[in-house]
Amino acid sequence: MEDYILIKPTMEYAEQIAEYRKAFLESGDSMDGTGPLRRMTDPGEYISFCETCEMRATVPENLVPATQFLFIRTFDNKLVGMIQIRHELNDFLKLYGGHIGYSVRPGERRKGYARKMLKKALPYCAEIGINKVLVTCIAGNVGSEKTILANGGVYESTVYEPGAKVNLKRFWIAINPIC
Ligand SMILES: CC(C)(COP(=O)(O)OP(=O)(O)OC[C@H]1O[C@@H](n2cnc3c(N)ncnc32)[C@H](O)[C@@H]1OP(=O)(O)O)[C@@H](O)C(=O)NCCC(=O)NCCS
């Protein structure tokens, strides 16, 4: 059995999704890579929303299709991280958001999980036809920058995002296409 797996959200993890959300609300950290989890108090509603976001036919008009994964530590079936893969880039994502967002549960940081989670997500990107992955992070987010670099990220530029009033560093990860 693998030590860690990426799986799509299901009701089996409803309680852990709610706990994950609570931990981030308490820590005040940004809930990156979770889509609209911050504003959804009902994990069931969140799980169905994630499903509708995967396909162009059902994703809300203002969003691009995206796949949500839970990063599960298999020995104790614990949700330790979350990662979202956007299938395409709209104007905002092209400049600021990138293809991938992720986060690790506050109590589980500095154990290499972000690095492992991003690594596991890259083959899925290739599977859905993304061979050059744009990943961005706020300048000064050392943990995220190291995560991107450890996964082959090549720095391209830094841009100012006026909405959040932050400088964002942009990196590209090239992955081998699946033949
Ligand atoms: C950024 C984040 C995902 C890192 O998760 P993590 O599981 O702690 O990261 P890892 O343990 O895989 O660490 C990756 C590297 O960053 C380093 N690192 C992690 N957090 C760090 C921190 N706060 N300060 C300095 N270095 C840090 C690790 O030591 C490791 O370095 P190494 O490759 O030299 O060993 C996590 O802090 C988080 O969820 N933050 C809030 C959301 C967020 O910022 N998401 C990223 C959006 S782009």
Side-chain angles (χ1 to χ4, degrees), residues 127-171:
E127 233 176 79
I128 60 169
I130 311 169
N131 298 315
K132 264 192 88 189
V133 184
L134 177 65
V135 193
T136 68
C137 71
I138 294 179
N141 187 341
V142 182
S144 189
E145 180 165 351
K146 281 189 160 188
T147 298
I148 299 166
L149 292 172
N151 279 285
V154 176
Y155 173 76
E156 184 219 74
S157 57
T158 299
V159 291
Y160 180 70
E161 203 275 271
K165 297 191 176 70
V166 291
N167 284 315
L168 286 170
K169 293 178 92 168
R170 294 159 46 85
F171 300 84

Side-chain angles (χ1 to χ4, degrees), residues 73-91:
R73 185 170 64 200
T74 46
F75 91 86
D76 57 356
N77 199 27
K78 187 170 179 182
L79 168 59
V80 292
M82 293 181 69
I83 188 161
Q84 188 196 44
I85 295 156
R86 279 76 82 155
H87 301 187
E88 57 196 61
L89 300 175
N90 59 19
D91 288 345

Side-chain angles (χ1 to χ4, degrees), residues 20 24 29-33 80 100-106 108-117 135-138 141-148 150:
Y20 193 91
F24 274 78
D29 287 337
S30 172
M31 238 179 262
D32 294 310
V80 292
I100 300 187
Y102 49 81
S103 54
V104 169
R105 199 179 181 125
E108 298 288 350
R109 295 198 182 143
R110 307 294 292 262
K111 298 179 181 176
Y113 290 154
R115 194 164 31 83
K116 289 190 175 79
M117 177 166 65
V135 193
T136 68
C137 71
I138 294 179
N141 187 341
V142 182
S144 189
E145 180 165 351
K146 281 189 160 188
T147 298
I148 299 166

